[in-house]
Amino acid sequence: MTARTVVRNEWRLLMADRALRAVLGLFALLLLYALANGIVWARFQERTVETALAGNAERARALEEELAAIENGAEPASRFRDPRAPNVLGGARGSHTAALDPGPLTALAVGQSDLLPYYYDVNIYTNESTFQQNGEVENPLNLMVGRFDLAFVVIYLLPLLILALSYNVLSEEREQGTLALTLSQPVSARSVVAAKLAFRALLVVGTVLAVSLLGILATGGAGSPGRVALWCATVATYALLWFALAAWVNSLRRSSAWNATVLVGAWLVLVVVLPAAINIAAGFLHPLPSRVQMVTAQREASNDAVNRRSELLARYLEDHPEMAGSVVADDEPALGALAWAATDAVNQRLEEVTDEHDASRAEQIALVRRYRFLSPALLAQEALMDAAGTGDARFARFQAEVRTFAEEWRGFFVPAILAGEQMDAGVLPDVPRFELADEEPADVARRAAVPLTVLFGVLLLVGAGAGMRLGRVRGAE
């Protein structure tokens, strides 16, 4: 008996088992539905980003036309909306939207892209409260349980299918009395189990990767071959780990019912209980400050700043002496300078509150990263999110670049506010523009190497243990 004979026999058994065919068909439909769901979200995010960028061009064109009209003798529509005032041109009316394009493989793994903001309207009033708010109103249930995408199917449902196909690859032979006959041939139990599992792995993993590649081709993700390779390697390693675990449990030479119970229990602990326990522990040990605290701090700081604008302006100029010349030359500072001093005071107070929030959040992330090695599901999820470009790291990089851009924006307009200058259409080409420097493929590979290497190491360990025990199985048992 050869491995080819075993595979051919497994194919016949599969075709004869209606229930098994139905399960495989249902799994294929779930994969396609998950892919369609991910594509819908990716298209929505693309349209949102396109709309935001189109809004930048429309605002710039409208401001340029109005400034040109004013230069030709027209009057501004309102004193408080006069685009010649730097606090108006650099404020909400002239704001610039900084946007993050969808990740290369967002259609496969929505990840954090439906939870974390992917665009910000930047102006001189951008502060820390801006970065704590989401630009989209989302279904709270979606945010709580996550979207049904390919990554969800791979992490949660693929192991169950693998266990359903593999829990009795050896025990069924023993229970039907065919194991002795099989092993009387020049073949070992290890090679029989390996051939059976190889056929099932080819069928299951091949289906998942085929659907994944279909989604990649449909959404243009093939332009990132490194991410595609990382996705495929993670899916294959994670799936093979569950096949290896099934082989190891079968090597214990217990009944099929016992195997099924143990394997389902392992799935429940490794995929559901441990990740949930780690997240709960992170929230309990390092609770985040309430958002109400931020709102209250902003309100109190605003009220205080209104009453102390002159004092705050003097303090601001002490901290920024390079901006003091044109302001202190006047006996009475301009209202714009006073208003900006108050705004800056509010921003500083919010930074104090958000520093506490960011510190707690960093401790939570550190705790999860420290204990993620206990769960293969967490390791696989981390690698899949990095491959898709929808993990925490890419969004954190985007937010850091938006903060830098906001500083650049204020640096352009605030000196003119303090000096009481007026602006014209000639300054528009010099107004800062946001250009995102996305992460390099090498950075992604370096970050994903740790979880993928650990996952592969566990696969080798479990596979080696299963192989050693199966090598001791004899037909007479």
Side-chain angles (χ1 to χ4, degrees), residues 226-227 230 438-449:
R227 292 181 181 272
L230 175 59
D438 212 343
E439 56 186 355
E440 295 292 331
D443 296 332
V444 179
R446 193 179 304 110
R447 195 167 56 243

Side-chain angles (χ1 to χ4, degrees), residues 2 12 19 23 29 105 116 144 151 247 297 304 329 348 373 379-380 445 450 466:
T2 64
R12 293 197 189 99
V23 170
L29 289 176
L105 307 184
L116 299 176
M144 182 175 64
D304 181 63
Q348 290 184 17
F373 300 107
L379 294 171
V450 174

Side-chain angles (χ1 to χ4, degrees), residues 32-42 107 110 147-149:
L32 293 173
Y33 173 72
L35 176 60
N37 201 26
I39 290 176
V40 167
W41 169 257
V110 171
R147 287 185 177 268
F148 190 83
D149 54 12

Side-chain angles (χ1 to χ4, degrees), residues 14 18 57 64 68 79 95 138 142 173 186 208 219 225 228 241 245 256 281 285 297 300 311 346 393 410 453 464:
L14 174 63
R18 292 183 178 179
E64 183 178 10
R79 173 189 173 190
S95 61
E138 180 57 273
N142 285 341
E173 295 268 7
V208 176
T219 57
V228 174
L241 173 59
L245 182 62
S256 296
L285 296 175
E300 291 176 350
E311 177 187 342
V346 174
R410 284 191 291 268
T453 301

Side-chain angles (χ1 to χ4, degrees), residues 165-189:
L165 291 173
S166 310
Y167 76 96
N168 61 349
V169 288
L170 187 63
S171 58
E172 186 179 41
E173 295 268 7
R174 183 185 298 105
E175 292 164 354
Q176 292 179 349
T178 58
L179 180 60
L181 179 62
T182 299
L183 296 185
S184 66
Q185 305 295 321
V187 65
S188 66

